[in-house]
Amino acid sequence: MGVFTFALFFAMPAFETLLTFFGVSVLLGLTPGPDNLFVLLQSAQRGWRAGMAVVVGLCAGLVVHTAA
């Protein structure tokens, strides 16, 4: 692979593209997922103990999924 081909292959995206990607990434990172909404809903309806039980269950699921 020549130097010119290498430079074309690894060229930086346009600034506008990077800015858009960064903005969308931040927005998706700040948006609560379904598990967060489930914890909030259960906590609001059934109290903090039920919310903590849901958190423990979700974390146990993550551990099992990661170990598998």
Side-chain angles (χ1 to χ4, degrees):
M1 182 181 308
V3 175
F4 184 70
T5 307
F6 183 80
L8 285 177
F9 187 71
F10 291 105
M12 282 289 290
F15 179 73
E16 294 81 14
T17 303
L18 291 175
L19 189 63
T20 303
F21 179 79
F22 179 74
V24 171
S25 297
V26 168
L27 183 66
L28 286 173
L30 295 176
T31 304
D35 54 347
N36 289 345
L37 296 176
F38 183 64
V39 170
L40 288 173
L41 183 67
Q42 293 302 312
S43 298
Q45 288 179 344
R46 300 180 182 178
W48 70 271
R49 284 190 170 95
M52 287 303 293
V54 169
V55 168
V56 169
L58 288 170
C59 290
L62 286 172
V63 169
V64 170
H65 181 78
T66 302

